Amino acid sequence: MALDDLYREVIMDHYKRPRNRGMLKCAEVVVEGANPLCGDDVTLWLEIDDETVTKVRFAGHGCSISQASASIMTEAIEGRSLEEIDEIVQALRGMMLEGEQPNEELLGDGIALEGVRQFPVRIKCAVLGWNTLSLGLRQFAESGGKPVEAHHRE
Ligand code: ZN
C-alpha cells in the first residue's frame, strides 16, 4: 500500500470512528474554533489538573479532514502535561506549515495529516483543532488557572 493511501485510511478511520467525541460537564477549558473558509467547526472540552490535561472531548461539524484531525489531536494530548502539549502542537504546526519531518513519537496518528500539505486550501482544516486547543490553553494560562471559555477563528 502506498504511504498516501495508508495516510488517507488513517484519516477516514478517525472520521468514521471519532475518538473522544462528546462533552464534559466540569471542564476547565471550553473552546470553540471555526474555519469559515470550509465551514468547519470544532468545540473542545478540557479537564486540567496539576498542569496536565486529564480528559479531553470534542464535538464538531465539517469536512473529514477537520473532524479526523480533531479526533487525532485528542488522542495525542490526553493525559499529557501542558508543557508536552506545547511541544506536540509545535511539532504539528512545524510539519503542516514549515515542512518539518513528521514526529511520530509526539504526533501519533497525526503524522497522517502530512499528506494534506499537497492540498494547501485544506491545511486550515487540518490545523483547526490544534490551533483551537492552543488558544484555549493560552487563555487558561493567562487566566491564572481559572476556567475559561474561548473562541478561535482560522
Ligand atoms: Zn474543512
Side-chain angles (χ1 to χ4, degrees), residues 47-61:
E47 281 182 16
I48 301 171
D49 187 31
D50 197 20
E51 301 283 300
T52 299
V53 171
T54 53
K55 227 173 187 189
V56 52
R57 294 291 180 272
F58 86 100
H61 306 90

Side-chain angles (χ1 to χ4, degrees), residues 35 38-40 62-66 121-122 124-126:
N35 170 24
C38 180
D40 307 318
C63 71
S64 54
I65 292 171
S66 67
V121 293
R122 312 305 299 280
K124 277 180 189 280
C125 306

